[in-house]
Amino acid sequence: MDTYQLLEAAFLGLIEGLTEFIPVSSTGHLLLAGHFLGFESTGKTFEVLIQLGAVLAILSVYFARLWNIATALPSDPGARRFVIGILIAFLPAAIIGVMLHGFIKEVLFESPMLVCITLIVGGIALLIIDRMTLEQRHTEATEYPLSLCLKIGLCQCLAMIPGVSRSGATIGGALLMGCDKRSAAEFSFFLAMPTMAGAFAYDLLKNIDRLSADDAAIIGIGFVAAFISGVFVVRGLLNFVTRHGFAPFAWWRIVVGTLGIAGLMLVG
């Protein structure tokens, strides 16, 4: 391990935190950046494990609200329904993630061209959804019906394909099912916590015997960078999407995907 590797880890961690909660695919950005930088992590664990830094960013910003929900569980049916809804939304991705873990890490994560294509296709889809006139029947993330939570959870499964974007799939699906932009983004925040924590725990369990002290140092640097940059995104994203919608992220996806394809064609 050298200084250059640590700087790469910090840079990639910064990318993770900046892109995890916006619908542009943090994993897709990490895989493309890692490919062009020549960055290789043991078992592609770095790209998964540093997501815990982004999870802690949500916890730090939403701690008071989460604490209120937790303390209300024994007496408030609404709080219990919300927690059950998040767990229901989490289950489809958890099941499919465990079943297809090897295929995802060994095949999909090794396909930068696939990432570029899904970035572009997802960007076009997001542009179309953002411009549609949709009925807004659900405006409070904590009051989504359980059936809606399950449908959003099924949409999240699309993000098993790198480049699709976990937040993009959940937010886009929620918008199509009658949620407003702000609550859709907020529900995606809440759903990220069990989803990313689960991915962290499972990937660590599968690869812990392969990780060295150098791997731990690199992951730690990326973790801290992801946490710091994630805090800034979580604090500002809801107001941004309320004012500007998701079109800026859609165009970003298309530009990055197009540049990625050009780069792969030029340098491989």
Side-chain angles (χ1 to χ4, degrees):
M1 179 180 62
D2 55 28
T3 302
Y4 181 70
Q5 286 179 301
L6 294 178
L7 290 174
E8 283 184 328
F11 175 67
L12 293 173
L14 182 67
I15 291 176
E16 161 63 27
L18 291 175
T19 58
E20 179 58 52
F21 305 111
I22 61 177
V24 299
S25 179
S26 62
T27 301
H29 279 68
L30 286 177
L31 292 174
L32 283 180
H35 175 80
F36 289 116
L37 288 172
F39 179 85
E40 289 289 340
S41 65
T42 303
K44 293 291 184 182
T45 54
F46 176 89
E47 291 82 354
V48 176
L49 298 186
I50 65 169
Q51 292 179 353
L52 187 63
V55 171
L56 293 181
I58 302 178
L59 289 174
S60 69
V61 174
Y62 277 84
F63 179 80
R65 190 169 181 184
L66 291 168
W67 179 256
N68 290 336
I69 292 171
T71 55
L73 284 175
S75 59
D76 186 354
R80 290 196 294 272
R81 184 187 62 188
F82 171 64
V83 172
I84 292 171
I86 291 294
L87 293 177
I88 288 173
F90 161 68
L91 281 177
I95 294 170
I96 293 177
V98 170
M99 292 175 59
L100 299 180
H101 181 267
F103 176 74
I104 293 168
K105 295 294 288 293
E106 296 168 14
V107 178
L108 299 183
F109 271 40
E110 299 293 342
S111 306
M113 183 60 76
L114 172 65
V115 172
C116 295
I117 292 171
T118 52
L119 281 172
I120 294 171
V121 172
I124 294 171
L126 198 59
L127 271 179
I128 293 171
I129 294 172
D130 194 60
R131 293 177 180 179
M132 294 173 67
T133 302
L134 299 167
E135 180 184 0
Q136 296 181 356
R137 301 186 303 276
H138 310 287
T139 59
E140 176 51 59
T142 59
E143 297 176 2
Y144 282 4
L146 296 183
S147 59
L148 175 61
C149 295
L150 176 59
K151 293 173 184 176
I152 294 174
L154 292 172
C155 291
Q156 181 174 239
C157 295
L158 295 172
M160 300 295 172
I161 305 171
V164 168
S165 169
R166 186 203 59 79
S167 58
T170 55
I171 291 171
L175 292 176
L176 289 173
M177 289 182 278
C179 304
D180 74 314
K181 293 175 181 178
R182 187 181 184 91
S183 71
E186 191 169 47
F187 188 85
S188 181
F189 284 171
F190 287 121
L191 182 54
M193 286 184 275
T195 301
M196 293 158 61
F200 172 91
Y202 187 73
D203 208 79
L204 182 62
L205 179 65
K206 295 285 286 186
N207 292 284
I208 192 167
D209 293 337
R210 303 171 59 188
L211 298 177
S212 65
D214 285 351
D215 291 320
I218 290 171
I219 291 169
I221 292 292
F223 173 95
V224 172
F227 169 77
I228 294 171
S229 56
V231 166
F232 287 101
V233 173
V234 172
R235 285 181 173 172
L237 180 61
L238 293 183
N239 289 332
F240 182 89
V241 299
T242 300
R243 293 194 304 268
H244 304 289
F246 296 103
F249 306 121
W251 285 113
W252 175 262
R253 292 176 62 106
I254 293 169
V255 169
V256 171
T258 302
L259 291 176
I261 291 175
L264 290 172
M265 294 178 67
L266 289 173
V267 301

